[in-house]
């Protein structure tokens, strides 16, 4: 590579899908991410959970969301449960 060639600047990693996020009513620090192309699991019924927001590929992830763990959770279960781990969150309680 000659000195006149430059590498493209690194791009922030984007997640590979859009998730629908659901918040647990009794424990609001607990969230469930379900890819929008998957069915919503029955346990996410309105009595215990509420729809929070859509998390798109370029959106900032909430504190506690781990993309690698999300991919594994979705692969094995069809959803990803995670807990907000910091006071600064991308989601309003």
């Amino acid at each position: 590579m000659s000195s006149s060639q430059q590498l493209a600047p690194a791009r922030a990693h984007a997640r590979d899908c859009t998730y629908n996020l659901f918040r647990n009513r009794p424990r609001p620090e607990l969230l469930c991410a379900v890819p929008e192309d998957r069915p919503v699991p029955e346990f996410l019924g309105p009595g215990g959970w509420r729809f929070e927001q859509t998390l798109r590929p370029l959106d900032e992830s909430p504190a506690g969301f781990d993309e690698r763990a999300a991919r594994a959770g979705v692969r094995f279960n069809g959803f990803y449960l995670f807990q907000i781990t910091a006071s600064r969150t991308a989601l309003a309680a």
Side-chain angles (χ1 to χ4, degrees), residues 25-76:
R25 290 181 189 275
R27 295 188 54 208
E29 72 280 2
L30 185 62
L31 285 96
C32 184
V34 181
E36 70 175 356
D37 63 348
R38 298 272 185 133
V40 175
E42 287 184 30
F43 75 86
L44 294 176
W49 296 80
R50 67 177 166 86
F51 175 77
E52 183 72 19
Q53 75 177 60
T54 300
L55 184 62
R56 292 177 178 78
L58 295 177
D59 292 345
E60 183 177 343
S61 295
F65 185 95
D66 181 303
E67 180 62 35
R68 185 173 177 200
R71 284 192 304 269
V74 167
R75 189 172 94 218
F76 291 110

